[in-house]
Amino acid sequence: MAAPLLRWFGPGRRWPLAWVDSGSRHRRGVPTGSASNRTREQSSVAQQPLCTSQKLRKGEHKWAAVVGLEIHAQISSNSKLFSGSQVCFAAPPNSLVSFFDASLPGTLPAGYQITQQRLPIATHGSLTYRVSVGTKRSHMATKTVRIKQIQLEQDSGKSLHDGLRSQTLIDLNRAGVGLLEVVLEPELSCGEEAATVIRELQLILQALGTSQANMAEGQLRVDANISVHHPGEPLGIRTEVKNLNSIRFLARAIDYEIQRQINELEHGGEILNETRSFDSKLGCTMPMRDKEGRQDYRFMPEPNLPPLVLYDTASLPAGAQSQQVINIDQIRDALPELPSVTRERLVQRYGMLPEHSFTLLNEVGLLQFFQNVMKETRAEPKKVTSWVLNVLLGYLKHHSLAVSESPITPSALAGLLDLLDSKAISSSAAKQVFEELWKGKGKTAVQIVSEKQLGLMQDQEALEQLCRSTMEEHPQAVMDMKKGNPRAINKLIGLVRKAALNRADPAVIKALLEKLSS
């Protein structure tokens, strides 16, 4: 029988709060954290082309950048890791704090952060992601970054710095909240690549239900370790940019720090092993504290926490009840569909391009919107994809709206596409109907078409008569059309459409003109 996998907590790492870990570090003092404003993420980072090169030219030399990431994802839980205190975003300061969270005398363990250090939950994994490369966005390249380890730890409190009053306020609501820390090997090369990796990890965490991973609410935060060096030479001294809480800011911070280090070195300066923060308003990183010398976090086992034992099917004790043990094989079998599988399914089922499947997943709520439209329309998937990604998403971005805030429902868009599919309206009329639907007056596409008289002419004899009259009025254009001049036939089509008040299908008009001229 295979031996069970043993994992336990130990005194932690990071955050200057006196908490515990199984490799816990004892750091006396107050918890720190980020109090910066959050911004809503709506960008499709996987659609952006990857850095054109990993080697950055500056002056007469080439530079290579090396980026490693540490991700802290808040675990989906109603309570904190080791206390019954509620977990709730935007609660009043210090309203969700137990005696244990506040490390009051008499609580055990207390006074330090708890994390896993010697025996993390998982080690030596990998994360596969796809990026657009080259000038053609349809060309996707598959890349992999190694995962050093995944571990559990407690979050720290949050410091709110008041510069006007020269004081710092402490909010312990977040102290003790369970975090999943994912440590990636330093194998990335620029901000866009790092942003793509984080977005893929965010989608995976959300699909699994591990974390809501809402960066706007601080549920997913990233620390980036960055260094530059000449290719073929040893790696340079790295800096750590802390608490990046936006995918867009992550990309900007990394790219800025890379260029800052290159500029510093090329002007005879040196890079300090320090912690920096990113000022989103100024678009630059700022020093926080230096990290010179080896920091002694004083990791030690936590005696008050028993081992966390994980089993697989082969090592499961005989007669063990499934509710009382953790069977990783059973968990694996129950996993939901992961983003990579979802994208492949979309490509296979609907025949869409791979980059379209990425956009549907990357925009929060867009995949569900698309699928709801598909359930209610007779239109081809290609047509639905085009309208959702090009028209709807374009309007949403122009008005800075999330998919959930769209004034057009899936049912309304499906009704519009049905009219277009049945050739009841033209493409230009469909766009007018869309604009009316966007106004959110509660009218259906059919009602708008009727009120605005946007429906295509159904009387073929009347349309043929319009074509004949137009040809009689423009004999030279007719002669040019017979000689195969495309401009001439387009001119005639436009004239007929104008005479028909734009209610005639251009394809039908063209067929009638060719028939009458033969």
Side-chain angles (χ1 to χ4, degrees):
M1 178 179 294
L5 304 172
L6 299 180
R7 302 288 185 266
W8 60 75
F9 291 98
R13 307 181 26 191
R14 241 175 323 274
W15 310 107
L17 167 64
W19 293 130
V20 201
D21 144 346
S22 255
S24 309
R25 41 178 141 177
H26 292 224
R27 295 187 64 179
R28 307 298 177 190
V30 185
T32 63
S34 170
S36 60
N37 294 329
R38 311 300 196 227
T39 59
R40 176 169 38 191
E41 291 298 311
Q42 290 187 340
S43 60
S44 300
V45 296
Q47 295 301 302
Q48 300 173 358
L50 189 62
C51 334
T52 54
S53 173
Q54 293 184 5
K55 295 178 180 179
L56 307 171
R57 289 188 176 274
K58 193 77 175 177
E60 300 179 354
H61 303 285
K62 291 181 179 180
W63 292 93
V66 178
V67 179
L69 302 177
E70 296 181 13
I71 303 99
H72 295 86
Q74 181 176 314
I75 297 171
S76 294
S77 174
N78 293 327
S79 62
K80 298 183 179 180
L81 199 57
F82 296 117
S83 80
S85 297
Q86 184 182 0
V87 176
C88 180
F89 177 70
N94 295 309
S95 63
L96 305 175
V97 185
S98 69
F99 291 159
F100 177 84
D101 300 328
S103 300
L104 295 182
T107 59
L108 289 175
Y112 42 89
Q113 180 190 27
I114 298 179
T115 186
Q116 290 179 300
Q117 192 248 352
R118 296 180 180 88
L119 290 174
I121 287 288
T123 59
H124 302 100
S126 63
L127 174 62
T128 301
Y129 58 101
R130 298 190 70 188
V131 293
S132 300
V133 294
T135 56
K136 294 185 178 180
R137 296 176 56 158
S138 59
H139 182 55
M140 307 291 291
T142 300
K143 302 190 70 176
T144 299
V145 60
R146 290 179 298 157
I147 299 176
K148 180 180 180 181
Q149 66 187 51
I150 296 176
Q151 64 194 48
L152 289 172
E153 72 176 22
Q154 287 179 310
D155 202 348
S156 64
K158 181 169 64 175
S159 299
L160 300 101
H161 305 290
D162 188 340
L164 294 177
R165 297 183 175 88
S166 298
Q167 62 183 6
T168 297
L169 306 177
I170 305 299
D171 181 7
L172 293 179
N173 279 348
R174 214 166 64 185
V177 171
L179 298 179
L180 178 73
E181 180 178 9
V182 181
V183 182
L184 303 183
E185 296 288 0
E187 298 173 344
L188 307 178
S189 59
C190 68
E192 289 183 25
E193 186 176 17
T196 302
V197 169
I198 293 302
R199 181 56 179 144
E200 184 69 10
L201 178 60
Q202 184 182 40
L203 289 172
I204 292 173
L205 293 173
Q206 291 169 342
L208 295 175
T210 304
S211 172
Q212 296 179 18
N214 186 337
M215 299 188 81
E217 296 184 1
Q219 296 172 352
L220 187 68
R221 307 190 298 274
V222 184
D223 300 336
N225 292 283
I226 305 158
S227 68
V228 298
H229 66 284
H230 292 302
E233 296 182 0
L235 298 182
I237 296 175
R238 71 184 184 189
T239 60
E240 183 179 26
V241 183
K242 301 282 288 186
N243 289 327
L244 296 166
N245 58 357
S246 154
I247 290 180
R248 183 163 57 93
F249 292 166
L250 169 70
R252 289 175 57 195
I254 290 174
D255 289 339
Y256 173 86
E257 182 61 19
I258 290 172
Q259 293 301 325
R260 185 194 72 81
Q261 293 187 18
I262 292 174
N263 291 336
E264 186 73 24
L265 293 172
E266 292 204 336
H267 287 84
E270 62 176 348
I271 303 302
L272 302 178
N273 181 212
E274 62 182 353
T275 298
R276 301 176 71 88
S277 62
F278 179 68
D279 189 316
S280 59
K281 294 181 179 179
L282 298 177
C284 63
T285 62
M286 309 288 288
M288 291 175 64
R289 60 180 182 271
D290 70 77
K291 301 174 70 173
E292 291 295 336
R294 183 178 179 85
Q295 297 188 39
D296 181 11
Y297 289 122
R298 301 175 67 184
F299 286 98
M300 64 182 62
E302 172 48 63
N304 292 307
L305 291 177
L308 172 62
V309 184
L310 308 179
Y311 297 95
D312 55 19
T313 302
S315 63
L316 194 65
Q321 298 183 11
S322 59
Q323 300 89 349
Q324 297 180 346
V325 295
I326 300 175
N327 185 338
I328 57 175
D329 288 333
Q330 187 178 42
I331 294 174
R332 182 183 294 110
D333 293 340
L335 290 179
E337 183 177 79
L338 294 179
S340 59
V341 179
T342 302
R343 287 190 288 260
E344 184 63 27
R345 175 173 57 82
L346 291 171
V347 171
Q348 295 297 325
R349 181 175 180 180
Y350 300 115
M352 67 175 61
L353 296 174
E355 60 267 29
H356 291 165
S357 69
F358 272 84
T359 304
L360 285 176
L361 264 73
N362 284 342
E363 299 293 336
V364 177
L366 194 61
L367 175 60
Q368 188 63 49
F369 192 102
F370 169 81
Q371 292 176 328
N372 288 339
V373 175
M374 286 299 304
K375 292 177 183 177
E376 300 188 43
T377 184
R378 299 185 301 271
E380 292 293 320
K382 184 176 181 180
K383 180 71 69 175
V384 177
T385 301
S386 176
W387 274 81
V388 170
L389 297 186
N390 297 329
V391 183
L392 176 71
L393 188 57
Y395 269 70
L396 290 172
K397 287 187 175 296
H398 179 73
H399 293 86
S400 299
L401 295 177
V403 175
S404 60
E405 299 170 316
S406 172
I408 297 181
T409 65
S411 297
L413 182 57
L416 168 58
L417 294 178
D418 280 345
L419 292 175
L420 190 59
D421 183 67
S422 63
K423 300 188 183 303
I425 57 175
S426 65
S427 296
S428 59
K431 292 180 180 179
Q432 295 181 54
V433 175
F434 185 91
E435 291 175 355
E436 290 298 317
L437 289 172
W438 185 265
K439 295 177 182 178
K441 296 182 179 179
K443 297 179 181 178
T444 66
V446 173
Q447 291 173 327
I448 294 171
V449 169
S450 176
E451 293 177 5
K452 301 288 184 180
Q453 296 184 345
L454 297 174
L456 289 175
M457 290 182 63
Q458 303 301 322
D459 190 340
Q460 292 297 303
E461 291 184 3
L463 181 58
E464 185 172 333
Q465 182 58 43
L466 285 176
C467 291
R468 186 175 287 108
S469 300
T470 302
M471 294 174 69
E472 291 174 353
E473 295 171 3
H474 299 85
Q476 184 60 49
V478 174
M479 292 179 61
D480 293 341
M481 180 185 71
K482 291 181 177 180
K483 294 178 182 179
N485 188 332
R487 291 185 178 180
I489 192 169
N490 288 336
K491 176 182 178 180
L492 290 171
I493 291 173
L495 291 170
V496 174
R497 290 193 66 203
K498 183 177 180 180
L501 303 177
N502 291 322
R503 297 181 60 196
D505 187 345
V508 175
I509 296 174
K510 181 180 180 181
L512 287 173
L513 290 172
E514 291 173 343
K515 172 187 172 183
L516 295 173
S517 64
S518 60

